[in-house]
Amino acid sequence: MSATLIDGKAFAEGLRGRVADAAKRFQADAGRAPGLVVVLVGEDPASSVYVRSKGKACREAGMESTEHRLPETASQEELIALVKSLNADDKVDGILVQLPLPSQIDDKAVIGTIDPAKDVDGFHVVNAGRLAVGEDALVPCTPLGCLMLLKDQLGDLTGMNAVVIGRSNIVGKPMAQLLLGESCTVTIAHSRTKDLPEVVRRADIVVAAVGRPEMVKGDWIKPGAVVIDVGINRVPAAEGKTRLVGDVAFDEAAAQASAITPVPGGVGPMTIAVLLRNTVVAARARLGLTPEVGL
Ligand code: NAD
């Protein structure tokens, strides 16, 4: 392997430390800690794990964290009523409704109810629109974390060719907007893209957010490109066990790239760290306090 390993775990730890300092300053300014509320509907085991780790990370950063659980059978009206009560609660700075939601509930209706000023996941159309027109916005955590890693690795991204594989509202589209905001020449590739390997070969920056294990091959990577692998895929391993792999065939791609994120330990740890960051940013903005620098 010739590529530098991009250590998302270490970067995320540093960011969490800076967030903890910012939370102390907020406490001094506002007389209370920044507050995040996570809402979980149902008992999905993966979602429960995410929600627990978000709460723990929040408390470790000196922030207030509350969990609201609704039963799997909860109605859309019940969930929307809860979101409205959280919108009205002055001590709540961030509201996160854990996805996926049970089938009787329309995600869009729920996310559309969250006060955009408290939308720390950055999924509300108002925040998506602000990002698109280059205004201050709360930006989805995973792509913002990817951008932080890229800027840390490369500095100025101006003029670089970036290819984002995947066009989801959660990762691909906001990632493309962020890279455009850094003056990259951005291509969004997706399941209908023709000759994907050729498209990827033009990229100085490749962000893979597909959800297909090791789909991006080494010979798709331009020598010296920087590769950010968002994918988290569980695949069978020896002795009936499983292991996590990304969307990029790591060993092959690392032989071509100048830098690459591993899975696990790359993008994954950034998501929660950026969620904490977004909560402090939202908290200061809501109270009209000066924005934090360096977050
Ligand atoms: P998604 O299923 O919503 O979107 C996948 C995208 O990939 C789609 O836009 C689709 O067009 C594209 N795609 C599918 N097959 C393709 C193909 N053959 N060629 C090119 N493009 C193709 O997924 P998502 O929510 O954007 O997540 C993508 C991956 O990132 C998943 O593995 C997910 O687990 C992971 N993820 C990781 C984090 C993290 O914290 N690291 C956060 C969110 C998502």
Side-chain angles (χ1 to χ4, degrees):
M1 173 180 146
S2 59
T4 302
L5 208 58
I6 300 176
D7 188 345
K9 194 160 173 260
F11 190 98
E13 264 167 36
L15 177 57
R16 282 163 68 155
R18 296 196 294 284
V19 169
D21 293 341
K24 279 194 198 113
R25 285 189 287 274
F26 181 85
Q27 171 88 48
D29 290 337
R32 63 169 179 83
L36 174 69
V37 174
V38 182
V39 180
L40 177 62
V41 184
E43 302 289 336
D44 178 60
S47 294
S48 297
V49 171
Y50 291 141
V51 166
R52 261 202 311 279
S53 36
K54 283 166 185 171
K56 182 165 169 275
C58 243
R59 287 184 292 277
E60 283 170 5
M63 293 160 51
E64 197 64 48
S65 158
T66 317
E67 214 180 288
H68 279 273
R69 283 178 178 259
L70 294 182
E72 182 76 30
T73 52
S75 68
Q76 182 167 310
E77 291 67 34
E78 269 175 86
L79 180 54
I80 285 182
L82 172 60
V83 169
K84 284 183 176 164
S85 75
L86 297 170
N87 284 345
D89 184 340
D90 244 357
K91 290 191 293 301
V92 175
D93 299 299
I95 302 169
L96 183 155
V97 178
Q98 184 66 44
L99 302 178
L101 291 168
S103 56
Q104 73 276 17
I105 301 178
D106 173 14
D107 297 11
K108 284 200 186 93
V110 175
I111 292 166
T113 308
I114 298 174
D115 177 352
K118 299 187 178 190
D119 169 38
V120 284
D121 252 344
F123 295 164
H124 194 290
V125 288
V126 165
N127 280 313
R130 283 185 185 146
L131 175 63
V133 296
E135 284 178 17
D136 275 350
L138 287 166
V139 177
C141 303
T142 302
L144 183 53
C146 293
L147 184 72
M148 288 177 181
L149 294 178
L150 279 168
K151 287 174 80 168
D152 186 54
Q153 187 63 37
L154 289 167
D156 185 5
L157 309 184
T158 301
M160 292 187 175
N161 284 331
V163 172
V164 179
I165 317 173
R167 58 174 159 181
S168 71
N169 292 334
I170 292 173
V171 189
K173 280 184 203 154
M175 185 74 244
Q177 296 287 2
L178 286 169
L179 290 164
L180 197 56
E182 298 297 323
S183 301
C184 291
T185 303
V186 183
T187 304
I188 306 177
H190 48 76
S191 52
R192 304 295 178 88
T193 295
K194 289 189 183 140
D195 202 357
L196 183 60
E198 239 355 275
V199 172
V200 175
R201 274 184 203 115
R202 295 198 291 266
D204 305 308
I205 294 169
V206 180
V207 181
V210 185
R212 291 180 173 251
E214 301 178 320
M215 184 190 84
V216 177
K217 305 300 179 202
D219 66 358
W220 300 14
I221 305 297
K222 174 167 132 179
V226 173
V227 178
I228 304 289
D229 190 350
V230 183
I232 302 177
N233 309 289
R234 198 163 276 288
V235 295
E239 296 167 14
K241 295 193 175 137
T242 60
R243 66 190 176 100
L244 286 184
V245 297
D247 291 340
V248 178
F250 180 83
D251 291 340
E252 295 173 13
Q256 297 293 322
S258 62
I260 186 166
T261 55
V263 176
V267 174
M270 292 299 291
T271 301
I272 288 186
V274 176
L275 171 67
L276 304 182
R277 177 254 178 218
N278 280 358
T279 304
V280 175
V281 167
R284 293 195 75 83
R286 288 185 56 246
L287 270 63
L289 299 168
T290 49
E292 284 283 343
V293 284
L295 279 188

